[in-house]
Amino acid sequence: MNKITEADFPRNPGPDSEPTSPAASSEDKQKRILIVDNDANSTRLVKVLLERSGPYLVMEENDATNAYHSARNFKPDVIFLDVMMPETDGGEVAAQIQADPELSNTPIIFLTALVTRAEAKDGLHIEGRPSLAKPISIPELISVIEENLPPRATTDQ
C-alpha cells in the first residue's frame, strides 16, 4: 500500500449528510476494518482516510505474526491482508483466521503489488480470495469493503 494521498478519497459529503467522525457515529454502526501490512506509514494513512470518509473503525496491524490475535480481539467485518510480509505471509495469516470458527466467515481481501489493477478488476483471486492491486485508491478500497461486508454488518437500522 503505497502512494496513497488524501486526493484518493471522497470528500464531498452533502449538507444533509451525517457526521462521519468516530465520535459522532455509534460504534455499533461503524464497519470494523482490519488492515494488515508491514508498511506502517501506509496503514496509518489508509486508517485516517477511511475513518474520515465513512462509518469505518479501522485497526492497523503491522506485524503479521500478531494479525490473527488482532483479528480475534477486534472482530472485524472485513480484513485486508498484504500478501508479502516478513516472517509470515498473508496466506498463512488467512489460513489461521479461516481455521477459527469465530472468524471463518470474515471476508479477507488480499492487497498485493504482484497483480495489476486490470487483473484485480477482472476478478483475479489469490488462494480463492479477492485481491486489490497496490497502490490502492481509497474509493476503490471503499467499494471493495461495501461489496464484501457480511449481511450483519450492512444493517444499520
Side-chain angles (χ1 to χ4, degrees), residues 72-89:
R72 288 258 326 156
N73 294 331
F74 186 61
K75 305 220 183 307
D77 296 307
V78 176
I79 300 171
F80 287 95
L81 282 176
D82 187 12
V83 172
M84 295 178 50
M85 294 180 282
E87 297 178 40
T88 305
D89 70 26

Side-chain angles (χ1 to χ4, degrees), residues 104-134:
S104 63
N105 292 325
T106 306
I108 296 173
I109 295 100
F110 282 118
L111 301 173
T112 182
L114 300 175
V115 301
T116 66
R117 271 198 154 76
E119 289 170 327
K121 283 186 180 190
D122 285 343
L124 177 73
H125 284 61
I126 300 171
E127 295 186 9
R129 302 184 191 290
S131 61
L132 195 57
K134 292 182 180 182

Side-chain angles (χ1 to χ4, degrees), residues 1 9 19 23-24 26 31 36 39 42 55 77 81 104 119 130 135-136 145 148 150-151:
M1 291 190 306
F9 79 101
S26 162
K31 294 153 187 155
V36 182
D39 182 347
S42 292
D77 296 307
L81 282 176
S104 63
E119 289 170 327
I136 60 169
I145 290 169
N148 286 280

Side-chain angles (χ1 to χ4, degrees), residues 10-149:
R11 201 176 158 115
N12 290 344
D16 297 327
S17 65
E18 294 180 12
T20 58
S21 71
S25 299
S26 162
E27 189 172 315
D28 292 338
K29 292 184 179 185
Q30 289 181 311
K31 294 153 187 155
R32 300 168 75 82
I33 311 299
L34 174 62
I35 300 177
V36 182
D37 193 314
N38 59 298
D39 182 347
N41 291 329
S42 292
T43 59
R44 181 70 185 149
L45 182 57
V46 169
K47 174 184 171 59
V48 169
L49 296 178
L50 276 177
E51 288 181 346
R52 286 179 58 189
S53 66
Y56 304 108
L57 179 62
V58 180
M59 178 180 193
E60 311 166 53
E61 180 54 70
N62 302 117
D63 184 346
T65 59
N66 295 331
Y68 167 71
H69 295 292
S70 294
R72 288 258 326 156
N73 294 331
F74 186 61
K75 305 220 183 307
D77 296 307
V78 176
I79 300 171
F80 287 95
L81 282 176
D82 187 12
V83 172
M84 295 178 50
M85 294 180 282
E87 297 178 40
T88 305
D89 70 26
E92 293 173 63
V93 175
Q96 281 184 302
I97 291 168
Q98 185 67 44
D100 185 318
E102 289 185 33
L103 297 171
S104 63
N105 292 325
T106 306
I108 296 173
I109 295 100
F110 282 118
L111 301 173
T112 182
L114 300 175
V115 301
T116 66
R117 271 198 154 76
E119 289 170 327
K121 283 186 180 190
D122 285 343
L124 177 73
H125 284 61
I126 300 171
E127 295 186 9
R129 302 184 191 290
S131 61
L132 195 57
K134 292 182 180 182
I136 60 169
S137 74
I138 295 302
E140 185 176 21
L141 187 66
I142 290 170
S143 176
V144 169
I145 290 169
E146 296 302 323
E147 289 170 9
N148 286 280
L149 281 172

